[in-house]
Amino acid sequence: MSLSDPDPVWIAVRLVIVVLSLAMIALGVRVAVSGRFPSAWVRVARLTATQRSQPARIGGSQALLGACLLVQQAPFLVPMPFLAGRTLFVAALLLAVTGAGWFALLRR
């Protein structure tokens, strides 16, 4: 699929995924760098005391998973050769594994 596809619903869904993944990256980097969660996030997500004490762990893994989503959607939105699309898919899988590993292994 690409932007030249006749089905506008899939294009809209993919663009929404890109916007949400950019928001995930921005929020994850903000949390990891600042060391604080946004107060609305703490209230809505009902983070426990142990989760609130680990912003770098949660923010970093969220940013990596957002990057995974963004890289995964690139071959569908930008025309590219098949091999480049597969390479980006492998990079997205590596980002997902890295994000999960970051969350599981980083303890502070």
Side-chain angles (χ1 to χ4, degrees):
M1 296 189 86
S2 67
L3 284 177
S4 62
D5 263 352
D7 191 11
V9 174
W10 281 110
I11 294 170
V13 168
R14 292 188 191 284
L15 290 175
V16 167
I17 290 172
V18 167
V19 169
L20 290 176
S21 65
L22 288 172
M24 283 179 66
I25 292 169
L27 188 59
V29 168
R30 178 184 177 269
V31 168
V33 170
S34 71
R36 294 183 347 189
F37 291 107
S39 59
W41 192 5
V42 173
R43 274 186 254 122
V44 172
R46 295 188 179 123
L47 297 175
T48 63
T50 57
Q51 289 173 332
R52 277 183 263 151
S53 68
Q54 300 174 351
R57 175 182 177 206
I58 294 173
S61 63
Q62 180 180 357
L64 285 170
L65 292 177
C68 169
L69 285 174
L70 185 64
V71 169
Q72 184 183 15
Q73 293 303 314
F76 296 110
L77 297 174
V78 178
M80 61 181 57
F82 180 76
L83 185 60
R86 291 293 175 197
T87 304
L88 283 177
F89 182 72
V90 169
L93 288 176
L94 288 174
L95 282 169
V97 169
T98 305
W102 179 298
F103 183 79
L105 298 176
L106 185 65
R107 302 278 183 194
R108 289 192 177 184

